[in-house]
Amino acid sequence: QNTKIKVGALRFTSHSGSFVAKDRGYFADAGLDVELEFFQAAQPMAVAIASGDIDYAVTAISGGLISLAQKGAIKVIGGALIEEEGIDGQQILASDAAYQAGVTSPAMLDGKAYGVTQTGSSFHYVGDKIAQAEGISMSFKPLQKVGAVIGAIKSGQIDAWNIVPHIAKPLAGSGAVHIIGAVQDYLPGYQTTTVFTSTDNAENQRDKTEAFLAGFSKGVTDYNSTMIDMADGEAGVDEMVKLIHQYVYADRPFEKAKPSIVNGTMRINEGAKLNMASVQDQLEWFKAGDYVDQGVTIEDLVNTSYVETMS
Amino acid sequence: MDIRLENISHSYDDFEVMRDITLDIPDGRIVCIVGPSGCGKSTLLRFIGGLERPSQGRVVQVGNPPEGCLNPLTYIFQDFALLPWRSVEGNISLVLEDHGIKGARARAIIDDVLARTKLSDFAKALPKQLSGGMKQRVAIARALAVKPAVMLMDEPLSALDSQTRELLMDDLVSLWTRQPFTAVYVTHNLAEAVRLGHRIVVLSRRPGQIREIVELDTPLGEREYGDPELERQQKHLWQLMRDEARAADAELINV
Amino acid sequence: MDIRLENISHSYDDFEVMRDITLDIPDGRIVCIVGPSGCGKSTLLRFIGGLERPSQGRVVQVGNPPEGCLNPLTYIFQDFALLPWRSVEGNISLVLEDHGIKGARARAIIDDVLARTKLSDFAKALPKQLSGGMKQRVAIARALAVKPAVMLMDEPLSALDSQTRELLMDDLVSLWTRQPFTAVYVTHNLAEAVRLGHRIVVLSRRPGQIREIVELDTPLGEREYGDPELERQQKHLWQLMRDEARAADAELINV
Amino acid sequence: MSDATLDTIPATKAKPEDGTARPVSFRGGGFAPKPRRWVGLVVFLVLIAIAEWGTRAGWISALTLPKPSDVLQTFQELYASGLLFKHLGPSLSRLAVGAALGVSLGVSVGILIGLFSYIRAGMVPLVAALFPIPKIALLPLFVIWFGIGEGSKYALIAFGTFTPTVVATYGAVDNVDRTLIRMGQSFGLSWFSIVRKIVLPGAMPGILSGLRISLAIAIILLVAAEMLGAEYGIGAYILQAGSLYDLERLFAGVVILSVLGVLVSGAIAIIERRLLGWRT
Amino acid sequence: MSDATLDTIPATKAKPEDGTARPVSFRGGGFAPKPRRWVGLVVFLVLIAIAEWGTRAGWISALTLPKPSDVLQTFQELYASGLLFKHLGPSLSRLAVGAALGVSLGVSVGILIGLFSYIRAGMVPLVAALFPIPKIALLPLFVIWFGIGEGSKYALIAFGTFTPTVVATYGAVDNVDRTLIRMGQSFGLSWFSIVRKIVLPGAMPGILSGLRISLAIAIILLVAAEMLGAEYGIGAYILQAGSLYDLERLFAGVVILSVLGVLVSGAIAIIERRLLGWRT
Ligand SMILES: Nc1ncnc2c1ncn2[C@@H]1O[C@H](COP(=O)(O)OP(=O)(O)OP(=O)(O)O)[C@@H](O)[C@H]1O
Ligand SMILES: Nc1ncnc2c1ncn2[C@@H]1O[C@H](COP(=O)(O)OP(=O)(O)OP(=O)(O)O)[C@@H](O)[C@H]1O
Ligand SMILES: [Mg+2]
Ligand SMILES: [Mg+2]
């Protein structure tokens, strides 16, 4: 009898690791009976891990996540999406108005408005890092919902934003916004998303957690090799897109969904490797901004005993 | 100014309310209309005041309203129809404002009508502070303020208890004796009719038709509480109406 | 069963409503209580029915209620107090249900009281379909259903128009003649008092005190609409009350 | 119609010659709007036509409003794919369970508040303090308190419908005609009989009209509730469309909620006609 | 108090010997809750004390509820740092402007609906369809329509208060005593005089009681409005606290909104007492 677990996911391409592992039976092979729980936003996913409603999930590091980790509720156990040179990562966008006014690279964003979902969100982190690197200052507009940010940048009410490629590319294609840079130029090796679980799972249920990571990693490997390394050619891509289409853009016809899914391709860390340097940097940034308690340590946040770390 | 009703009939959709009513309301007299519930008394009064139009027939006014008359056909309602958010004087000034009468002129009129209705001490009171009898006095004062040619009264006393009713009848009689006014007075109450009416029109049950017109010759001032001649008239009217009233009362209302 | 009121006084906080009222209500007679507005008539009736407690004095019942009496002291209210969501028979069965009377026994009682109040055809009607007079008849039927020892009536006819009032007075008289009941009948209306009362208690203006008790010996069945002797009594009562009524009417109400 | 009175000539204005007879002038009518059913439909059609025209002609930008015809097509696709019912099913059951919980609890508490002094004194300020709390602010807490399953969705909707129902119910109990209650007491009815046979039916009109508002709020809260880990559901569908700035789907979802609201309000009207036929 | 009647003995039960005199038994009272002011305060204090005890003793986990004392401390810090007013200022001005817009528009439209048949027929279904639309679902659109500045915040609050105000207002106009209007006509008052002097004051009680609901909704919508690019504001403060899962600040913010709601409702009560002193 397989152990029943629940895995949280968003209907985004970046969660393909879990989709593939479930669909191709890798979780089952690892002795897990996985049920996917879908969320509309990343933040409730962290809370749901804390409340014990789900066991594992993948999301960006946010103030809320660190807060919950400090309360002893959750732990990061591995890495997922990462910015890697040579592969399309998160794009920096400028609104058409700003672009026409001469903002053609992030360096020209001085004094401009940068869209974020919340103060102390990962967007804020990225924007602030860009500003620091360029030695400029920007104002950050909290708009809560990705949709609201899209609306704001399309109508030129904010000047810039960063977002994953599967959203960035079609937006740029429509001509309403322009890509003016890539996040990886500023934050090489940025650990965009991490795998995390409850402290109880991480500390007391080692077998289960290892089994999950094993299954998940297999899914990630499949995904990377098919979509990025093109190991199985176009046919392989088609098959993979079909698999993902069951979970993402399910209500659109396949033809419409495919470009979006392909556009969204980003590398996910093999073996859920975790870039500790990036995590450490993010934690320091949150502390510096006073978005989280000053007493949080990297040990509160991460359990490094599961996966290989890089630094 | 006289009022003449010419062959008035009326139906609401298919619901016949009154049939062929012809009636004269001579200047300076009080005409009482009595009849069982639902026979169309209030409707008839609305026709006279121009608030509604009959299906057939017409209401005409013969002659001109007297000098200074602001609103020839003026109502006094059963439920007083005072604006609860205005004081006694505010309620009276309401009907003057639209005629451009303000300030000292309005003041003079208001003081005059309040004095005539013995309300001078209550000018600043709100309706909620007044008993029913006082409220109806305010309504009468308001009607007097526009110097009406004809007063149209729809059961003006029936919301009052019977003692207050007696008091107000006395007041109406003394108002009329000092300065006769024309009035159409709708009531259920035969005692009121014989006390105040120069002419009493008895309507039949719905569809309302004129059954009888009784003329009373005793001058208003001489009619007294419990006058035997009036009692006799009242008894006669009650015999006319009794069975119709019973039948009207036992009718189911469609709602 | 007699009722005796012993030295009843009452104040609401510092507001004195009545003072030292002592009164006997003998079995089988109708006692009318008249008095100007606000003199405490309704309050007194609430004391008799046990719905409120006087500050001083007490109400006692002397002797036992008759056999089969479900609710010795039974009210009939001015505004009928029918449940609008129950039909005529539902309103009557309401007061039987709590005594465990259901099914055929209830049916028999309901049919009996409806017949006595001439309502048999209206058993299924809702209150909204009935005229005021019919509604009060239903309330009377409901009161009869519990075989009361004493009926407590608070201006039962004052919400009705005067023609319906006449009709219902006749009905009450015929009910009483067939089977005499004890009643305390509060009213403003002196005509009602002299028509229905064996004993008429006149209260003064607030604080209510007994001013006079008038005994009427004419049997109820022989009192007629417009009876000269009754008119005389009525006139006498009116003279007693007139000034007090006027003063009571002109009082400002504190709200 | 109020419109009709504008042309009325006051009776005083005209001054005919002495002795002549002239009809009394009409000055009544108005201030009583009459139903004109088709106008509502026409307004909707005109608005939609304008939107269609504007989006087609381009003077309404595609960013501002989707083409109504595209929304319709999205709706058809949603229906054809069977997803419509997959979304509608969970939403309706959440609405039903959540609203049933909130309303039944609200009615009970409202009646207790209406009847007992101490409960009133204790609960009324509490309800007043709970009312202005935005439910979306509490979302993170709801996850901890009730989990991400159906529990938290029911709880959110129940919480949102609870407060307005309480307020409407105790208002309705306060408005029950006291003479009816005195009547019940005067016939020696027991306390429970009075509550069951007089207070409850008497408060029913007020409770039902409160239900209109509560249920509208329940529909509004559906979106907030489905922020919490909902896979299917109209709210989840709208949120997802919003996060992708997919206006066609956003509008299709909003139209569904709107229709749902109109249907619920119609259903209450029917219940009112059934249950409250005794009202004049 | 309703509580008092439970011990009443029906008058029929006791059967004294023949000829004896005994007092009539009392069976009235009750069903009229009396104010007991201090109870509300006690309930609040007890609830807070329990929360404090539980969080200190540990049987309420820190994830579930913050310590009330910590919330108080957060609040003090907020006050001491001057940030309280930095947050309160923009929120209050958004509330004021948004609610003023929505309410004044709502009252105007409501009155037009109350007076004119065609406007009624056209607008009522529209309002009914707008009511159940959740404002948060429209956030992305509001960004396009009204920008991310103050405009969209005003618009969202205005939109949220508009519909309930319209419904309350035309209900109130419908309930204005028609005999008063007929009275106005019978004295030859002009249409505008009737509307201004009779319809408007007569509808005022209904409009004000609708305002209670509208303003509570405005406060609730503050959080939604401040989702749109607000740096300061109680709503923004709550949202940020929520996303950082900082329960102390979340509760501090919620308490502020709750107090705001109670204050607004108190203010309306005062206005009612002033303006509607004429009611019995
Ligand atoms: N606007 C209306 N539409 C339809 N029917 C009406 C309307 N107004 C009155 N009626 C009906 O017309 C009949 C006569 O009404 P009206 O009010 O004139 O009677 P009434 O003699 O004044 O009765 P009451 O003595 O009860 O005041 C009644 O049956 C009433 O139901
Ligand atoms: N519950 C109460 N609290 C305070 N005052 C009251 C209460 N009930 C009655 N009153 C006052 O007591 C006085 C007597 O009231 P009651 O209703 O008994 O008079 P009434 O003689 O029946 O008057 P009416 O003829 O107008 O019916 C009135 O002034 C009234 O305002
Ligand atoms: Mg009438
Ligand atoms: Mg009374």
Side-chain angles (χ1 to χ4, degrees):
Chain A
Q1 185 60 45
N2 284 344
T3 318
K4 275 200 158 116
I5 60 165
K6 286 186 177 175
V7 173
L10 303 179
R11 292 187 178 275
F12 284 147
T13 322
S14 51
H15 288 254
S16 294
S18 306
F19 304 151
V20 176
K22 176 169 165 63
D23 213 67
R24 298 203 167 153
Y26 301 148
F27 283 133
D29 296 347
L32 296 175
D33 185 1
V34 167
E35 190 184 321
L36 292 176
E37 281 283 346
F38 288 94
F39 286 79
Q40 297 300 330
Q43 202 259 344
M45 214 149 56
V47 185
I49 295 243
S51 72
D53 281 292
I54 55 173
D55 296 287
Y56 302 95
V58 172
T59 185
I61 291 178
S62 64
L65 193 80
I66 299 172
S67 249
L68 288 165
Q70 190 203 5
K71 289 188 162 80
I74 62 178
K75 281 268 188 280
V76 169
I77 53 167
L81 275 193
I82 194 161
E83 290 290 342
E84 185 187 292
E85 226 174 310
I87 294 160
D88 280 352
Q90 289 199 49
Q91 305 293 313
I92 302 169
L93 302 176
S95 71
D96 191 47
Y99 190 80
Q100 302 303 340
V103 180
T104 49
S105 90
M108 292 155 183
L109 283 171
D110 193 30
K112 299 290 184 192
Y114 195 86
V116 299
T117 51
Q118 272 138 1
T119 326
S121 64
S122 54
F123 295 107
H124 191 186
Y125 167 74
V126 170
D128 201 40
K129 285 288 169 181
I130 294 170
Q132 280 175 25
E134 296 287 357
I136 55 175
S137 76
M138 296 189 287
S139 62
F140 293 96
K141 287 275 172 218
L143 291 163
Q144 311 299 329
K145 305 256 180 253
V146 170
V149 185
I150 296 177
I153 197 165
K154 272 187 166 177
S155 51
Q157 301 181 68
I158 54 170
D159 302 300
W161 184 41
N162 64 284
I163 188 62
V164 289
H166 72 275
I167 296 177
K169 286 178 191 167
L171 279 177
S174 73
V177 300
H178 302 271
I179 294 175
I180 57 168
V183 170
Q184 53 186 247
D185 299 341
Y186 296 88
L187 290 165
Y190 169 42
Q191 187 67 59
T192 311
T193 60
T194 59
V195 181
F196 65 105
T197 183
S198 65
T199 308
D200 180 56
N201 274 343
E203 252 127 63
N204 307 325
Q205 317 234 15
R206 221 175 157 83
D207 293 349
K208 192 167 92 181
T209 303
E210 279 172 348
F212 168 76
L213 284 171
F216 178 73
S217 299
K218 264 191 174 165
V220 167
T221 309
D222 270 20
Y223 176 78
N224 283 344
S225 71
T226 315
M227 298 297 289
I228 297 173
D229 308 331
M230 302 298 253
D232 305 313
E234 272 307 318
V237 171
D238 257 13
E239 196 188 340
M240 179 63 74
V241 169
K242 246 182 218 135
L243 188 163
I244 295 169
H245 181 232
Q246 296 171 54
Y247 302 100
V248 184
Y249 304 124
D251 64 330
R252 289 191 199 171
F254 181 75
E255 297 69 36
K256 276 200 200 168
K258 186 181 168 188
S260 303
I261 293 173
V262 172
N263 270 332
T265 305
M266 259 176 100
R267 186 177 292 278
I268 307 173
N269 283 4
E270 299 277 346
K273 270 190 292 193
L274 184 65
N275 184 348
M276 280 300 280
S278 174
V279 174
Q280 181 78 47
D281 184 62
Q282 293 183 46
L283 177 61
E284 290 313 319
W285 182 83
F286 280 105
K287 280 158 76 169
D290 206 19
Y291 304 123
V292 298
D293 197 89
Q294 294 303 321
V296 201
T297 62
I298 189 88
E299 287 75 31
D300 288 335
L301 181 61
V302 188
N303 183 328
T304 51
S305 67
Y306 285 95
V307 299
E308 215 180 303
T309 58
M310 13 186 231
S311 40
Chain B
M1 191 180 92
D2 302 344
I3 300 281
R4 198 185 303 144
L5 281 66
E6 298 176 351
N7 304 91
I8 287 182
S9 300
H10 190 68
S11 307
Y12 289 110
D13 301 322
D14 285 343
F15 186 77
E16 192 180 7
V17 177
M18 66 186 75
R19 195 183 287 172
D20 196 30
I21 291 189
T22 299
L23 185 65
D24 257 320
I25 294 141
D27 195 54
R29 319 234 88 192
I30 298 178
V31 174
C32 286
I33 299 179
V34 297
S37 251
C39 73
K41 303 183 292 299
S42 301
T43 310
L44 195 64
L45 209 63
R46 284 200 296 274
F47 293 155
I48 300 176
L51 288 182
E52 215 171 311
R53 275 181 284 221
S55 321
Q56 276 168 45
R58 56 176 208 154
V59 181
V60 294
Q61 48 190 78
V62 185
N64 279 343
E67 200 55 42
C69 165
L70 298 174
N71 190 48
L73 302 166
T74 296
Y75 277 90
I76 290 170
F77 297 87
Q78 174 179 5
D79 55 359
F80 324 134
L82 300 181
L83 301 186
W85 50 86
R86 288 199 176 209
S87 65
V88 166
E89 53 183 17
N91 266 287
I92 299 173
S93 86
L94 171 80
V95 299
L96 301 175
E97 287 159 14
D98 261 41
H99 296 284
I101 301 178
K102 283 175 189 137
R105 270 179 70 207
R107 189 70 270 153
I109 296 180
I110 293 171
D111 286 346
D112 171 51
V113 295
L114 288 182
R116 278 159 73 191
T117 47
K118 300 176 207 139
L119 283 168
S120 302
D121 294 345
F122 301 93
K124 306 277 179 211
L126 282 176
K128 68 167 180 178
Q129 297 176 282
L130 303 177
S131 67
M134 300 297 273
K135 281 185 201 154
Q136 196 56 295
R137 262 195 212 110
V138 177
I140 294 171
R142 177 177 62 187
L144 294 175
V146 291
K147 303 205 170 59
V150 180
M151 295 238 257
L152 305 172
M153 310 200 205
D154 193 357
E155 310 192 30
L157 306 184
S158 72
L160 306 176
D161 66 70
S162 74
Q163 292 158 30
T164 315
R165 198 143 54 210
E166 293 295 338
L167 298 172
L168 265 174
M169 273 196 272
D170 287 352
D171 291 347
L172 282 176
V173 168
S174 75
L175 270 177
W176 189 90
T177 343
R178 255 189 294 157
Q179 184 180 339
F181 52 83
T182 320
V184 184
Y185 189 106
V186 164
T187 182
H188 265 119
N189 192 321
L190 304 180
E192 284 173 31
V194 297
R195 192 73 184 292
L196 295 173
H198 296 99
R199 172 179 289 184
I200 298 169
V201 180
V202 184
L203 293 185
S204 72
R205 178 154 69 102
R206 206 193 66 234
Q209 282 170 286
I210 294 180
R211 278 200 56 170
E212 192 166 322
I213 297 182
V214 175
E215 302 274 348
L216 293 183
D217 300 323
T218 327
L220 282 200
E222 290 165 25
R223 302 184 192 177
E224 264 201 2
Y225 188 83
D227 178 316
E229 162 61 12
L230 295 180
E231 294 298 339
R232 207 188 47 75
Q233 286 287 5
Q234 190 177 333
K235 214 160 168 175
H236 167 69
L237 291 171
W238 179 230
Q239 263 140 25
L240 270 176
M241 289 177 58
R242 181 184 186 109
D243 294 335
E244 302 228 28
R246 175 140 263 160
D249 190 48
E251 228 163 46
L252 273 193
I253 298 162
N254 324 307
V255 233
Chain C
M1 191 180 91
D2 302 345
I3 300 279
R4 197 184 305 144
L5 281 66
E6 299 177 349
N7 304 93
I8 288 182
S9 300
H10 190 69
S11 306
Y12 288 111
D13 301 323
D14 285 344
F15 185 75
E16 192 179 7
V17 178
M18 66 186 74
R19 194 183 286 172
D20 196 30
I21 292 190
T22 299
L23 185 65
D24 258 320
I25 294 140
D27 197 53
R29 320 234 89 192
I30 298 178
V31 175
C32 286
I33 300 179
V34 298
S37 248
C39 74
K41 302 183 293 297
S42 301
T43 309
L44 195 64
L45 208 63
R46 284 200 296 276
F47 293 156
I48 300 176
L51 288 183
E52 215 170 311
R53 275 181 284 221
S55 322
Q56 277 167 45
R58 54 176 209 154
V59 180
V60 294
Q61 46 189 80
V62 184
N64 279 343
E67 199 57 39
C69 166
L70 298 175
N71 190 47
L73 302 167
T74 296
Y75 276 90
I76 291 171
F77 297 87
Q78 172 178 7
D79 54 359
F80 324 134
L82 301 180
L83 300 186
W85 50 87
R86 288 199 177 209
S87 66
V88 167
E89 54 184 14
N91 265 286
I92 298 172
S93 86
L94 172 81
V95 300
L96 301 175
E97 286 160 14
D98 261 43
H99 297 283
I101 300 178
K102 279 171 194 142
R105 271 178 70 207
R107 191 66 273 152
I109 295 179
I110 292 171
D111 286 345
D112 171 52
V113 296
L114 287 183
R116 279 159 73 189
T117 47
K118 299 175 208 142
L119 283 168
S120 302
D121 295 344
F122 301 91
K124 306 278 179 210
L126 282 176
K128 69 166 178 180
Q129 298 175 281
L130 303 176
S131 67
M134 301 298 274
K135 281 186 199 153
Q136 195 57 295
R137 260 193 215 113
V138 177
I140 294 170
R142 176 177 62 187
L144 294 175
V146 293
K147 303 207 170 57
V150 181
M151 295 238 255
L152 305 172
M153 311 201 206
D154 193 356
E155 310 192 30
L157 307 184
S158 71
L160 306 175
D161 66 70
S162 74
Q163 292 158 28
T164 315
R165 200 146 51 210
E166 292 295 337
L167 298 172
L168 265 173
M169 273 197 272
D170 288 353
D171 291 347
L172 283 175
V173 167
S174 76
L175 271 176
W176 190 89
T177 344
R178 254 190 294 158
Q179 184 181 339
F181 51 83
T182 321
V184 185
Y185 188 106
V186 164
T187 180
H188 265 119
N189 192 323
L190 303 180
E192 284 172 31
V194 297
R195 192 74 184 292
L196 296 173
H198 296 99
R199 172 178 289 182
I200 298 169
V201 180
V202 184
L203 292 185
S204 71
R205 176 153 69 101
R206 207 193 65 235
Q209 282 170 288
I210 294 180
R211 277 200 56 171
E212 191 166 323
I213 296 182
V214 176
E215 302 274 348
L216 292 183
D217 300 324
T218 327
L220 282 200
E222 291 166 23
R223 302 182 191 178
E224 264 201 2
Y225 188 85
D227 180 316
E229 162 62 12
L230 295 180
E231 293 299 339
R232 207 188 47 74
Q233 287 286 6
Q234 191 177 332
K235 214 160 169 176
H236 166 68
L237 290 170
W238 178 231
Q239 264 140 25
L240 270 176
M241 288 177 58
R242 181 182 187 110
D243 294 335
E244 302 228 28
R246 176 139 262 161
D249 189 49
E251 230 164 44
L252 275 192
I253 298 162
N254 321 307
V255 232
Chain D
M1 274 197 326
S2 181
D3 337 27
T5 50
L6 287 165
D7 58 353
T8 304
I9 311 143
T12 37
K13 291 273 166 68
K15 291 254 168 188
E17 293 306 296
D18 216 73
T20 54
R22 53 175 207 86
V24 162
S25 63
F26 179 66
R27 51 185 173 167
F31 297 99
K34 295 185 202 76
R36 306 233 179 283
R37 294 197 175 277
W38 48 271
V39 176
L41 202 67
V42 169
V43 167
F44 274 107
L45 291 180
V46 167
L47 285 181
I48 291 173
I50 290 177
E52 184 74 31
W53 176 35
T55 42
R56 272 184 201 279
W59 49 266
I60 298 178
S61 111
L63 266 183
T64 318
L65 221 60
K67 277 204 199 85
S69 53
D70 284 353
V71 174
L72 190 69
Q73 198 195 323
T74 309
F75 194 79
Q76 278 166 344
E77 277 171 21
L78 195 64
Y79 178 79
S81 67
L83 276 173
L84 177 60
F85 295 101
K86 233 173 170 168
H87 284 299
L88 213 49
S91 285
L92 288 180
S93 79
R94 278 162 202 153
L95 263 185
V97 177
L101 271 175
V103 165
S104 52
L105 219 71
V107 168
S108 320
V109 170
I111 287 178
L112 292 179
I113 288 180
L115 292 179
F116 297 101
S117 299
Y118 282 91
I119 296 184
R120 161 168 306 220
M123 289 294 296
V124 169
L126 208 60
V127 170
L130 287 180
F131 204 15
I133 294 179
K135 316 302 167 279
I136 31 169
L138 299 183
L139 282 185
L141 280 175
F142 269 79
V143 173
I144 298 282
W145 291 348
F146 303 102
I148 54 157
E150 296 301 293
S152 61
K153 297 170 191 86
Y154 297 156
L156 192 88
I157 294 176
F159 183 46
T161 48
F162 173 74
T163 38
T165 309
V166 169
V167 174
T169 305
Y170 82 73
V173 171
D174 285 355
N175 278 336
V176 172
D177 190 350
R178 295 296 123 165
T179 53
L180 292 182
I181 291 176
R182 300 282 163 250
M183 181 277 289
Q185 293 182 324
S186 79
F187 278 99
L189 263 59
S190 71
W191 188 86
F192 276 109
S193 283
I194 291 179
V195 170
R196 198 160 56 82
K197 295 175 186 170
I198 300 178
V199 175
L200 262 185
M204 202 43 81
I207 292 175
L208 280 179
S209 82
L211 212 59
R212 261 173 211 279
I213 292 179
S214 306
L215 291 187
I217 291 177
I219 292 175
I220 289 175
L221 284 179
L222 200 56
V223 173
E226 292 182 351
M227 281 186 173
L228 297 171
E231 226 195 306
Y232 290 108
I234 304 296
Y237 179 80
I238 290 178
L239 286 167
Q240 214 188 328
S243 76
L244 300 170
Y245 208 82
D246 184 338
L247 288 188
E248 285 83 26
R249 292 202 285 155
L250 182 66
F251 267 77
V254 164
V255 167
I256 294 175
L257 286 189
S258 177
V259 168
L260 208 60
V262 172
L263 287 181
V264 164
S265 144
I268 292 178
I270 291 174
I271 294 177
E272 281 181 340
R273 227 169 298 141
R274 278 272 177 107
L275 238 56
L276 307 181
W278 49 268
R279 284 189 305 185
T280 31
Chain E
M1 277 197 326
S2 182
D3 336 27
T5 49
L6 287 166
D7 57 353
T8 304
I9 310 142
T12 37
K13 292 273 165 68
K15 291 254 168 188
E17 292 307 296
D18 216 74
T20 55
R22 52 177 207 86
V24 161
S25 63
F26 179 65
R27 50 185 174 168
F31 297 99
K34 294 184 202 79
R36 307 231 178 284
R37 293 196 178 280
W38 47 270
V39 176
L41 202 69
V42 169
V43 168
F44 274 108
L45 291 180
V46 166
L47 286 181
I48 292 173
I50 291 176
E52 183 74 30
W53 177 36
T55 42
R56 269 184 202 279
W59 50 267
I60 299 178
S61 111
L63 273 180
T64 317
L65 221 61
K67 276 204 201 83
S69 53
D70 284 352
V71 174
L72 190 69
Q73 198 195 325
T74 309
F75 194 79
Q76 278 166 345
E77 279 167 18
L78 195 64
Y79 177 79
S81 66
L83 275 174
L84 177 59
F85 295 101
K86 227 170 171 169
H87 284 299
L88 213 49
S91 285
L92 288 181
S93 80
R94 279 163 202 154
L95 263 184
V97 176
L101 271 174
V103 165
S104 53
L105 219 71
V107 168
S108 320
V109 171
I111 287 178
L112 292 179
I113 289 180
L115 292 179
F116 297 100
S117 299
Y118 282 91
I119 296 184
R120 159 166 309 217
M123 290 293 296
V124 169
L126 208 61
V127 169
L130 287 180
F131 203 18
I133 295 179
K135 316 303 165 279
I136 32 172
L138 298 182
L139 283 186
L141 279 177
F142 271 78
V143 171
I144 299 280
W145 291 349
F146 303 103
I148 55 169
E150 296 301 292
S152 61
K153 297 169 191 87
Y154 297 156
L156 191 89
I157 293 177
F159 184 46
T161 49
F162 173 73
T163 39
T165 308
V166 169
V167 174
T169 304
Y170 83 73
V173 171
D174 285 354
N175 279 335
V176 172
D177 190 349
R178 296 295 123 166
T179 52
L180 293 183
I181 291 175
R182 300 281 163 249
M183 181 276 290
Q185 293 181 324
S186 78
F187 278 99
L189 264 58
S190 71
W191 187 87
F192 276 109
S193 281
I194 290 178
V195 170
R196 198 159 57 84
K197 296 174 184 169
I198 300 179
V199 175
L200 262 184
M204 202 42 81
I207 292 176
L208 280 178
S209 82
L211 212 60
R212 261 172 210 280
I213 293 178
S214 307
L215 291 187
I217 291 178
I219 292 174
I220 290 176
L221 283 179
L222 200 55
V223 172
E226 293 182 351
M227 281 188 167
L228 295 172
E231 253 183 281
Y232 290 106
I234 304 297
Y237 179 80
I238 289 177
L239 285 166
Q240 208 195 334
S243 77
L244 299 174
Y245 207 78
D246 185 339
L247 291 187
E248 285 82 26
R249 291 202 285 156
L250 181 64
F251 268 75
V254 164
V255 167
I256 293 175
L257 286 190
S258 176
V259 168
L260 208 59
V262 171
L263 288 182
V264 165
S265 145
I268 293 178
I270 291 174
I271 295 176
E272 281 181 339
R273 228 169 299 142
R274 277 274 177 105
L275 238 54
L276 308 180
W278 50 267
R279 286 190 303 186
T280 32

